[in-house]
Amino acid sequence: MPTYRDEGVVLRTHKLGEADRIVTILCRSQGKVRAVARGVRRTSSKFGARLEPFSHVDVQFAVGRSLDIVTQVQCLHPYGDPLARDYGLYCSGETMLEVADRLVAVEKEPSLRQYRLLLGGLRVLGEGTSDGPRPASMVLDSYLLRALAAAGYAPVLDSCAHCGLAGPHEWFSPSSGGMVCSRCKPPASAHPSAQSWALLGAMISGDWPATREVRTATVRECAGLVAAFAAWHMDHSLRSLAMIPRE
């Protein structure tokens, strides 16, 4: 059988038969790949532990009829190790995997930007930002905003998302696409604080120095805005997001 090699992040696994698993991997070149890992549930398996969610792996596939087959695996970075020791970090990481899985809907379609965003998000979640550690919810919200932007759902933060009137404006509407003016705001629009508007802008641009000394209330407010925005534009509530503890 013809083979190919790629690197990727394991998104999820499903049991298959008595000893196999179906593994879903977001790969650098191939996009999302679903493949059979034979015998990985046996204690004698050589690479079963390398194919767990969060693992960054170098993997070789053999082309199959319906599903490809994993033939070799090398772990490049076990991003799940630091997350497994903290419930909040783990749930945030699970949300990242879920979002990547949903945003990259078509298999075998390259999605390099989503791959890089997921890899960077998991690294920052476990190791901290270039400007030091940040709350898990802030790292997750930054990832969500940037992943949605890469998929074509970037929130408008500098003008009215409905009429285009230059901002700043005071209202936020997930259904409208972000910032809205007082004339266009639909019912139940949110009214974020000035600090929350600034934090949203910093998170979507990856400006970590600008997120220093942000109040917990601001982080919490932004988390609600981002969760509502993500749920609306993905047309689906995120299971893992509801499990994240909020201080």
Side-chain angles (χ1 to χ4, degrees):
M1 292 185 292
T3 63
Y4 62 94
R5 198 173 195 93
D6 208 338
E7 66 175 65
V9 178
V10 180
L11 301 179
R12 55 190 168 93
T13 66
H14 296 289
K15 293 180 180 179
L16 178 66
E18 296 183 355
D20 304 340
R21 278 198 179 108
I22 296 177
V23 184
T24 303
I25 304 175
L26 180 57
C27 294
R28 180 184 180 91
S29 300
Q30 296 291 323
K32 189 163 70 174
V33 175
R34 293 173 69 244
V36 176
R38 291 177 174 168
V40 294
R41 289 162 54 203
R42 296 194 182 102
T43 56
S44 59
S45 173
K46 295 181 179 179
F47 52 76
R50 304 172 194 170
L51 289 173
E52 293 296 327
F54 303 113
S55 295
H56 180 209
V57 294
D58 182 299
V59 57
Q60 179 172 289
F61 301 94
V63 178
R65 290 184 178 179
S66 57
L67 292 175
D68 295 344
I69 300 167
V70 176
T71 57
Q72 293 181 21
V73 182
Q74 178 184 357
C75 184
L76 301 176
H77 198 111
Y79 284 111
D81 285 357
L83 308 188
R85 296 190 289 268
D86 184 283
Y87 180 74
L89 290 176
Y90 183 83
C91 290
S92 296
E94 280 283 349
T95 304
M96 290 182 181
L97 299 185
E98 184 180 352
V99 168
D101 195 9
R102 292 187 179 279
L103 290 180
V104 185
V106 181
E107 296 180 21
K108 296 290 186 73
E109 184 174 286
S111 186
L112 181 59
R113 190 173 178 190
Q114 291 292 351
Y115 168 76
R116 286 176 171 170
L117 284 169
L118 178 60
L119 202 61
L122 293 176
R123 178 186 56 78
V124 170
L125 194 61
E127 302 175 6
T129 75
S130 57
D131 193 59
R134 292 293 187 275
S137 61
M138 186 187 293
V139 176
L140 172 62
D141 289 343
S142 177
Y143 167 77
L144 287 173
L145 289 170
R146 299 174 81 179
L148 286 165
Y153 305 113
V156 178
L157 300 177
D158 57 0
S159 61
C160 178
H162 188 266
C163 70
L165 181 65
H169 302 293
E170 298 181 352
W171 302 92
F172 183 92
S173 169
S175 61
S176 298
M179 179 181 285
V180 286
C181 66
S182 56
R183 290 186 303 174
C184 297
K185 72 179 182 70
S189 295
H191 189 267
S193 65
Q195 293 79 12
S196 290
W197 283 117
L199 180 56
L200 287 171
M203 288 192 299
I204 197 170
S205 65
D207 184 3
W208 292 115
T211 66
R212 296 174 189 168
E213 301 179 0
V214 176
R215 295 184 305 157
T216 301
T218 301
V219 176
R220 189 184 298 116
E221 183 177 40
C222 283
L225 298 174
V226 175
F229 186 85
W232 178 270
H233 290 281
M234 295 180 67
D235 197 26
H236 195 284
S237 60
L238 299 170
R239 297 187 305 271
S240 304
L241 194 60
M243 304 296 292
I244 297 175
R246 303 293 185 186
E247 297 181 357

